[in-house]
């Protein structure tokens, strides 16, 4: 969700220049923090919904009908209900570790005119899925410049277009016909609207560094019924392609939850600098090996703000 450059801390006299505080990491106020929780119940399929009558703006149930083509006739084979929610990233409340069967996903199907597209024109990874310091990172961060075009990864419908100030910033969630959902975070400008059908490769937004982000990048997630999957299980980002046309989902994909649960409750170290006479933002930033813009963003000031002696500036 954001990139953190490890501070290079040099020895200083114990004159209250540097303040260290330990705090419980608390993301509960952000959509990112609320996107992982479980209350296991009957699984809901999220494939082939008819979204033509969606009441955008609140959670409700959508009736789903599945049909197969037999001898030129469409035959109804199943009818069930699925959740449609334009506010919550994970309304499904399904623990992926409880999956008993293997779920076969066809990622794209050229014969059905359902293709795929990489989310960016280039995909250099800056941060991987997994443990990141005091918390778990549920996506892959891909480098970009502010204003770069972001594309829909697969055909589907925009379920969420929302602002998350202390997490994803401007973000979009797409629900796809292949059963997956993809999330695109920290955009400078979301373009696709909630309820809009998009084809793979259609522009859905522009890259940026909004929300909890230390620099321009795309935070990209792949989810199955609310459960994040490491995108690098599906994508070969250096070679700019999917690893295959099909993908199998098993409970083993979500065993990382056992590690993530422990990291999410760990204490984090927050560092502050107490301003002294002669200090400038650039000088302070250089001292700790971070950028002046990052310090300004963390403290809600601009890089041109006059610093008051004695003020504590958050560095990390």
């Amino acid at each position: 969700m954001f990139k953190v450059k490890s501070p290079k801390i040099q020895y200083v006299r114990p004159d209250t220049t540097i303040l260290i505080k330990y705090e419980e990491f608390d993301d509960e106020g952000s959509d990112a923090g609320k996107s992982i929780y479980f209350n296991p119940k009957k699984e809901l399929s999220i494939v082939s919904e008819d979204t033509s009558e969606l009441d955008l703006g609140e959670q409700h149930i959508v009736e789903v009908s599945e049909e197969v083509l037999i001898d030129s006739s469409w035959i109804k084979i199943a009818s069930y209900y699925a959740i449609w929610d334009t506010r919550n990233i994970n309304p499904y409340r399904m623990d992926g570790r409880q999956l008993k069967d293997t779920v076969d996903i066809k990622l794209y199907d050229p014969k059905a005119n359902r293709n795929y597209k990489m989310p960016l024109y280039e995909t250099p990874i800056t941060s991987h899925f997994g443990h990141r310091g005091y918390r778990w990172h549920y996506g892959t961060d891909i480098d970009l410049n502010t204003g770069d075009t972001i594309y829909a990864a697969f055909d589907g419908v925009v379920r969420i277009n929302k602002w998350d100030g202390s997490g994803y910033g401007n973000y979009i969630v797409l629900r796809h016909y292949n059963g997956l959902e993809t999330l695109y975070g920290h955009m400078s400008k979301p373009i696709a609207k909630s309820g809009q059908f998009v084809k793979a490769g259609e522009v859905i937004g522009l890259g940026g560094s909004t929300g909890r982000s230390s620099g321009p990048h795309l935070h990209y997630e792949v989810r199955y019924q609310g459960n994040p999957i490491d995108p690098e299980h599906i994508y070969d980002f250096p070679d700019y392609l999917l690893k295959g046309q099909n993908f199998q989902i098993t409970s083993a994909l979500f065993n990382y939850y056992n590690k993530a649960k422990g990291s999410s409750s760990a204490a984090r170290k927050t560092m502050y600098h107490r301003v002294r006479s002669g200090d400038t933002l650039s000088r302070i930033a250089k001292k700790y090996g971070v950028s002046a813009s990052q310090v300004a963003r963390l403290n809600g000031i601009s890089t041109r703000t006059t610093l008051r002696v004695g003020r504590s500036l958050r560095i990390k």
Side-chain angles (χ1 to χ4, degrees):
M1 280 174 257
F2 67 106
K3 296 179 289 187
V4 178
K5 185 176 181 180
S6 299
K8 298 177 182 178
I9 304 174
Q10 299 176 346
Y11 176 78
V12 295
R13 298 192 314 275
D15 59 358
T16 71
T17 299
I18 299 176
L19 306 177
I20 305 292
K21 296 182 181 180
Y22 287 88
E23 302 173 349
E24 287 299 311
F25 178 70
D26 184 4
D27 246 349
E28 292 182 358
S30 72
D31 291 358
K34 295 181 289 187
S35 68
I36 303 294
Y37 62 93
F38 303 112
N39 181 16
K41 57 182 179 181
K42 184 177 180 181
E43 297 176 12
L44 299 171
S45 174
I46 57 173
V47 182
S48 302
E49 286 93 336
D50 176 6
T51 62
S52 60
E53 300 298 326
L54 291 180
D55 177 16
L56 301 178
E58 63 183 46
Q59 180 183 125
H60 65 284
I61 303 300
V62 179
E63 184 174 2
V64 181
S65 295
E66 287 191 0
E67 299 176 332
V68 295
L69 185 62
I70 301 177
D71 296 332
S72 301
S73 298
W74 287 100
I75 308 298
K76 185 174 180 179
I77 60 171
S79 181
Y80 51 89
Y81 293 88
I83 291 175
W84 182 267
D85 188 314
T86 60
R87 295 175 179 170
N88 300 296
I89 293 172
N90 183 7
Y92 310 109
R93 302 194 179 191
M94 191 277 283
D95 187 339
R97 293 169 295 182
Q98 305 302 318
L99 280 175
K100 292 181 173 57
D101 300 315
T102 298
V103 180
D104 291 304
I105 298 284
K106 181 171 284 190
L107 296 174
Y108 64 99
D109 186 358
K111 292 182 179 179
N113 194 29
R114 290 179 180 168
N115 299 301
Y116 82 91
K117 175 73 176 180
M118 299 298 283
L120 292 169
Y121 182 70
E122 294 180 333
T123 52
I125 295 176
T126 57
S127 184
H128 299 274
F129 183 101
H131 191 267
R132 182 192 278 178
Y134 51 80
R135 63 187 179 87
W136 198 265
H137 186 234
Y138 290 104
T140 297
D141 288 347
I142 307 172
D143 195 26
L144 53 69
N145 294 315
T146 298
D148 282 356
T149 302
I150 297 174
Y151 306 100
F154 307 100
D155 296 356
V157 180
V158 179
R159 183 164 70 82
I160 298 175
N161 177 330
K162 196 177 175 187
W163 166 256
D164 176 22
S166 56
Y168 293 119
N170 288 314
Y171 74 98
I172 279 178
V173 174
L174 298 183
R175 179 181 289 183
H176 304 291
Y177 287 111
N178 57 25
L180 300 176
E181 290 190 321
T182 52
L183 184 150
Y184 311 76
H186 306 308
M187 292 189 290
S188 61
K189 181 181 180 181
I191 294 174
K193 306 299 181 183
S194 185
Q196 177 182 339
F197 172 77
V198 294
K199 293 288 291 181
E202 189 170 335
V203 178
I204 60 170
L206 303 178
S209 182
T210 57
R212 194 169 187 170
S213 168
S214 60
H217 71 281
L218 173 67
H219 174 82
Y220 182 64
E221 293 185 8
V222 177
R223 291 176 176 247
Y224 176 72
Q225 297 198 24
N227 295 262
I229 297 170
D230 184 347
E232 291 181 74
H233 288 325
I234 298 174
Y235 289 92
D236 184 336
F237 286 106
D239 285 343
Y240 200 71
L241 48 75
L242 289 177
K243 291 184 175 180
Q245 185 172 355
N246 300 295
F247 183 72
Q248 289 190 330
I249 297 176
T250 66
S251 60
L253 281 175
F254 308 106
N255 285 340
Y256 65 83
Y257 279 139
N258 301 324
K259 298 179 182 178
K261 184 177 180 181
S263 66
S264 65
S265 61
R268 67 173 177 180
K269 183 170 66 175
T270 304
M271 182 171 295
Y272 293 82
H273 174 91
R274 181 161 290 165
V275 177
R276 295 185 297 179
S277 178
D279 277 348
T280 64
L281 202 59
S282 60
R283 183 180 299 172
I284 294 170
K286 183 178 180 180
K287 177 176 182 175
Y288 296 101
V290 297
S291 67
S293 59
Q294 177 178 324
V295 176
R297 186 164 46 248
L298 286 172
N299 293 277
I301 60 177
S302 78
T303 54
R304 296 185 296 274
T305 298
T306 300
L307 302 180
R308 177 174 53 82
V309 174
R311 174 176 179 172
S312 292
L313 290 178
R314 182 177 171 185
I315 304 300
K316 172 185 175 185

